[in-house]
Amino acid sequence: MTITPETKEKVFQLREQLQKAGYAYYVMDSPIMEDGVYDQLYRQLQDLETEYPELITADSPTQRVGDRPVTRFTSVKHNIPLYSLENAFNERELAKWSTRWQKQLETIPEFSYVCELKIDGSAIALTYENGILVRGATRGDGVTGEEITQNIRTIRTIPLKLNLDHLDNPPQRVEVRGEAFLPLNVFAAINQARSESGEALFANPRNAAAGTLRQLDAKIVAQRKLNFFAYTLHVENQAVSSQWESLELLQQMGFLVNPNRKLCNSLAEVEAYFHEWDTGRKTLPYMTDGVVVKLNDYQLQQQLGFTQKFPRWAIALKYPAEETPTIVKDMIVNVGRTGAVTPMAVMEPVQLAGTTVQRATLHNSDRVAELDIRVGDTVIIRKAGEIIPEVVRVLTDLRPTNTVPYQMPRDCPECSSPLIRPKTEAVTRCVNLSCPAILRGSIIHWASRNALDIKGLGEKMTILLLENNLVTSVADLYSLTVAQIASLERMGTKSAENLVKAIAESKNQTYDRLLYGLGIRYVGSTNAKILTENFSTIEELSQASFESIEAVYGIGAEIAQSVFEWVRIPANQILIRQLQDAGLEFSSASTTSTNKTDQIFSGKTFVITGTLPTLKRDEAKKLIEQAGGKVTGSISQKTDYLLLGENAGSKLAKAEQLAIAQLSEADLLNMLSIN
């Protein structure tokens, strides 16, 4: 097929427009076009590239995600080695480093330091040729790493094409180093989704970022929304004489550079910066564990050179992690609703990061073996990412003489069925679908707020129903009578009537909530919405091929395989029929619509903070979304409204700084015409 010059020009213009819009949105946090306009232009480019595949280029925005999953990663040698940094843990060690590098010089010129926050993520190396991204690799051992270009392309703050128009003599090759990381709100959302889908939680954002980068399926990487800060530039033939100038040039090229950097003229200024961010880092949307201090002048860096391990001209000044010792009293396992068996350490209660901690997850049997943790051991614990308690290490010198290595149980503690560890997984599982723990978890999940939202059906009531053999699946809930429930311990007629009513009302929930409530592995509330938008009935989903499920944007191979297998299990097919017979509608036709014609918040972004007078956050979020709005977790220039309750935190201060409109609950309800 002949390609006209007009078509080529159109593709070029679309690509340029989308690249500029992406840079403004993801790097500068200053959108230049509406999301809907971007989506339309993206679709135009996608359609043209589909029709004329020879016009596809490596820097096209459509190429961020699209390749098939790889089977393995290839080891590659870095063009320029990635050195580690020497660590300093206090001002005294920082001063020693300063004295040491100055002793390397006969005469000490004027100098300054560049201070940058040390991001707790994964270092990656990027190579550009003629302005186009050609390779992305993990740090590895600093000399060789793994080639992960397919995954790197999914990170929106990494440009596929550099902006070199402002340079008189654009370089043929550019090498960039930086840190890929997960923002805290994204990390929390990922863990929530993993919890909802029965997966083991990530211990901290750093581990989550590293695990994400090594996913074989780039679609999964794209879903996790990694971010990236660039901090090192290697480029020839450019008038760049300092680290500070390099950071400015990186920003001009299209990279996101940490805005909290500072040029310091003395060690005292460095120390002041360090102390300032020891407090300030707690309000940042990402994790930082220290400050990287570099001599600013490149000529001075070259004079000092490197030791065998470290550059002499840079050091990482680390913040002390909040850690505390405690004693392991017991080792137990918890069986989740998907059958996942998670080992846990039960410890002497200790205060950590403002809360009392007495349990810490050990994730899986591999982690237990790695730590060699035993009952009676003294262990060091910390809150990973200031969220999840984790065991850092075991103080074996304090180990009692009578301890024995912990062995994972061979049989399920809930049902005594043999436990199985699939070859491809690190998690041990109970596969007995009648296991009380699985059944209990399934019912609690079905009744949860984001699923069927059955008020009055919590853990205690679920246990009562199971102990009295009133339910054997979620379908049995819909045949419960007032008399049956009223006969239970501490249950009266009125409470029984309310519960039966709540169960009956749950029949009106939307198709996506029903699908989420089924507890299919990897299918959280977001993925459930995506699936129900693309498969209008459960029958259509049940008959869909693996390929057609995987082809849905936002659904990776792992999720598709899980859904494909689940809907084909006879017991699950029977469950769906039983639920349908009970009056639940697994179809888009059952989706309720309130004020669909009145999308007054279309295109508007909200952030909710504080405690609202009458509405729960989920209720407020639902109202906003029904009116066409979007609710996010953090304030930015893209935020239109801050919904403000009592005891608002740092979000209020940032909203005031950015002059973002503030709404009370009453303001919101008035705008929606709800009295």
Side-chain angles (χ1 to χ4, degrees):
M1 188 180 295
T2 305
I3 306 174
T4 65
E6 290 78 13
T7 300
K8 289 182 180 179
E9 180 64 21
K10 180 65 173 177
V11 168
F12 176 80
Q13 289 176 345
L14 286 168
R15 195 174 290 146
E16 290 289 303
Q17 281 182 298
L18 291 168
Q19 285 168 344
K20 289 178 181 177
Y23 173 76
Y25 186 93
Y26 292 105
V27 178
M28 301 307 295
D29 199 20
S30 180
I32 59 175
M33 67 173 60
E34 295 293 326
D35 291 350
V37 176
Y38 182 96
D39 293 340
Q40 289 179 23
L41 296 179
Y42 184 94
R43 181 59 60 88
Q44 288 180 33
L45 177 61
Q46 199 174 41
D47 291 344
L48 286 169
E49 290 182 343
T50 301
E51 188 174 357
Y52 307 102
E54 55 268 51
L55 293 179
I56 298 174
T57 59
D59 64 314
S60 175
T62 64
Q63 299 307 293
R64 287 199 176 274
V65 185
D67 292 339
R68 298 289 296 177
V70 297
T71 56
R72 64 182 181 87
F73 294 118
T74 308
S75 180
V76 293
K77 187 175 181 180
H78 294 303
N79 299 315
I80 300 170
L82 281 76
Y83 284 85
S84 300
L85 290 177
E86 182 182 0
N87 289 327
F89 294 96
N90 51 53
E91 289 95 330
R92 179 172 50 81
E93 292 181 1
L94 176 69
K96 282 185 177 179
W97 166 77
S98 179
T99 302
R100 190 164 61 248
W101 75 254
Q102 292 183 49
K103 285 182 178 178
Q104 302 289 323
L105 305 175
E106 293 183 4
T107 58
I108 302 174
E110 289 187 8
F111 62 89
S112 57
Y113 301 99
V114 174
C115 289
E116 303 167 65
L117 295 178
K118 187 177 183 297
I119 308 303
D120 201 11
S122 288
I124 54 177
L126 308 174
T127 301
Y128 291 81
E129 292 181 357
N130 298 314
I132 305 298
L133 176 67
V134 296
R135 193 177 84 178
T138 63
R139 182 187 181 278
D141 62 4
V143 177
T144 60
E146 289 181 314
E147 198 264 319
I148 55 167
T149 310
Q150 182 172 301
N151 291 344
I152 294 296
R153 291 180 179 276
T154 69
I155 303 175
R156 298 284 181 170
T157 43
I158 294 179
L160 301 180
K161 180 181 180 182
L162 299 179
N163 178 18
L164 304 176
D165 296 341
H166 58 288
L167 301 179
D168 295 331
N169 185 24
Q172 288 189 339
R173 172 175 284 183
V174 175
E175 294 280 343
V176 176
R177 306 290 183 261
E179 200 83 3
F181 65 95
L182 276 174
L184 290 176
N185 64 327
V186 176
F187 172 71
I190 290 172
N191 262 352
Q192 182 180 349
R194 291 176 74 86
S195 175
E196 291 171 352
S197 57
E199 297 175 86
L201 303 186
F202 284 120
N204 53 58
R206 180 185 64 255
N207 290 358
T212 298
L213 287 171
R214 298 197 75 260
Q215 290 287 326
L216 297 175
D217 189 349
K219 290 181 180 178
I220 297 175
V221 184
Q223 290 170 0
R224 294 197 181 160
K225 299 179 182 178
L226 285 168
N227 210 331
F228 177 80
F229 280 136
Y231 53 64
T232 299
L233 174 65
H234 298 284
V235 60
E236 296 180 352
N237 306 320
Q238 298 300 315
V240 182
S241 60
S242 69
Q243 171 67 8
W244 192 261
E245 290 177 7
S246 282
L247 294 173
E248 296 288 331
L249 184 55
L250 280 167
Q251 206 162 4
Q252 293 170 23
M253 286 180 172
F255 290 97
L256 181 64
V257 177
N258 195 309
N260 299 311
R261 61 191 183 275
K262 186 175 182 180
L263 188 63
C264 299
N265 292 314
S266 68
L267 212 60
E269 289 187 28
V270 171
E271 292 172 359
Y273 175 91
F274 177 73
H275 289 297
E276 175 190 351
W277 284 106
D278 190 16
T279 303
R281 66 195 176 105
K282 295 173 184 175
T283 63
L284 291 170
Y286 49 82
M287 292 295 300
T288 175
D289 57 355
V291 171
V292 175
V293 185
K294 299 176 183 175
L295 285 167
N296 185 38
D297 187 82
Y298 274 178
Q299 190 174 355
L300 190 53
Q301 289 185 14
Q302 290 171 0
Q303 283 182 265
L304 291 169
F306 299 80
T307 69
Q308 198 171 6
K309 293 183 177 180
F310 312 119
R312 292 189 177 93
W313 42 265
I315 195 167
L317 182 56
K318 304 292 287 288
Y319 294 114
E322 187 173 352
E323 300 179 346
T324 190
T326 185
I327 296 173
V328 179
K329 296 169 60 181
D330 197 6
M331 302 272 289
I332 62 173
V333 294
N334 179 61
V335 185
R337 65 176 176 83
T338 63
V341 179
T342 305
M344 301 191 71
V346 182
M347 305 162 298
E348 293 282 356
V350 288
Q351 285 291 312
L352 187 64
T355 60
T356 301
V357 175
Q358 60 186 84
R359 292 194 178 194
T361 178
L362 297 168
H363 302 291
N364 52 56
S365 56
D366 289 347
R367 180 59 174 162
V368 172
E370 180 187 345
L371 289 167
D372 186 24
I373 185 171
R374 308 178 184 186
V375 174
D377 274 342
T378 299
V379 297
I380 302 297
I381 64 169
R382 70 180 176 198
K383 276 196 175 179
E386 300 185 2
I387 300 171
I388 303 170
E390 69 170 344
V391 177
V392 181
R393 60 188 178 277
V394 177
L395 302 181
T396 53
D397 291 345
L398 301 178
R399 173 173 286 167
T401 56
N402 60 345
T403 63
V404 294
Y406 177 74
Q407 297 291 328
M408 288 283 289
R410 294 183 178 181
D411 298 326
C412 177
E414 296 270 356
C415 68
S416 301
S417 299
L419 297 176
I420 295 174
R421 177 175 171 177
K423 290 182 179 180
T424 58
E425 297 183 18
V427 179
T428 303
R429 296 186 181 277
C430 175
V431 294
N432 174 20
L433 294 179
S434 300
C435 175
I438 296 176
L439 183 55
R440 181 172 63 247
S442 299
I443 294 173
I444 292 171
H445 177 71
W446 179 262
S448 65
R449 184 182 297 175
N450 292 331
L452 280 292
D453 193 20
I454 303 175
K455 292 178 175 58
L457 185 55
E459 184 174 2
K460 290 182 179 178
M461 177 54 64
T462 299
I463 292 171
L464 271 177
L465 294 172
L466 291 171
E467 287 178 344
N468 288 272
N469 299 314
L470 292 179
V471 294
T472 58
S473 77
V474 294
D476 292 338
L477 295 171
Y478 296 92
S479 59
L480 288 171
T481 65
V482 172
Q484 285 175 315
I485 298 172
S487 68
L488 299 175
E489 186 180 356
R490 298 182 181 179
M491 290 295 295
T493 302
K494 185 63 178 177
S495 298
E497 289 174 348
N498 289 338
L499 180 55
V500 169
K501 182 182 177 183
I503 293 171
E505 288 175 347
S506 74
K507 295 178 182 180
N508 299 319
Q509 289 290 6
T510 57
Y511 176 25
D512 62 294
R513 281 175 171 255
L514 299 183
L515 188 64
Y516 167 63
L518 291 173
I520 303 171
R521 197 175 174 201
Y522 305 130
V523 178
S525 53
T526 300
N527 289 330
K529 279 187 178 181
I530 294 172
L531 288 166
T532 55
E533 286 169 357
N534 287 271
F535 302 96
S536 59
T537 67
I538 193 68
E539 288 78 17
E540 187 180 338
L541 181 61
S542 300
Q543 295 164 13
S545 65
F546 164 78
E547 289 77 15
S548 62
I549 300 172
E550 187 195 18
V552 175
Y553 184 78
I555 303 296
E558 199 171 27
I559 301 169
Q561 189 66 37
S562 176
V563 173
F564 179 77
E565 291 175 353
W566 194 95
V567 295
R568 279 159 176 78
I569 294 173
N572 294 336
Q573 294 172 349
I574 293 171
L575 174 62
I576 290 171
R577 285 198 296 272
Q578 289 173 335
L579 290 168
Q580 289 174 322
D581 291 342
L584 288 91
E585 295 185 41
F586 287 82
S587 69
S588 298
S590 68
T591 302
T592 58
S593 170
T594 51
N595 298 328
K596 277 197 170 182
T597 59
D598 189 15
Q599 301 284 283
I600 64 168
F601 292 149
S602 179
K604 302 297 183 182
T605 299
F606 287 71
V607 171
I608 305 172
T609 186
T611 304
L612 300 174
T614 63
L615 294 174
K616 295 177 180 177
R617 287 199 180 193
D618 283 351
E619 294 170 340
K621 181 181 178 183
K622 187 177 180 180
L623 290 173
I624 292 166
E625 289 176 343
Q626 287 175 341
K630 180 172 70 174
V631 179
T632 63
S634 58
I635 294 283
S636 73
Q637 291 178 341
K638 297 188 284 284
T639 306
D640 296 292
Y641 297 106
L642 177 68
L643 181 57
L644 191 65
E646 290 185 8
N647 301 317
S650 58
K651 291 176 183 177
L652 174 58
K654 190 168 183 181
E656 289 174 340
Q657 183 184 349
L658 297 174
I660 290 167
Q662 298 171 27
L663 299 178
S664 66
E665 180 185 295
D667 294 331
L668 175 72
L669 297 178
N670 284 335
M671 293 170 76
L672 295 168
S673 300
I674 299 174
N675 298 319

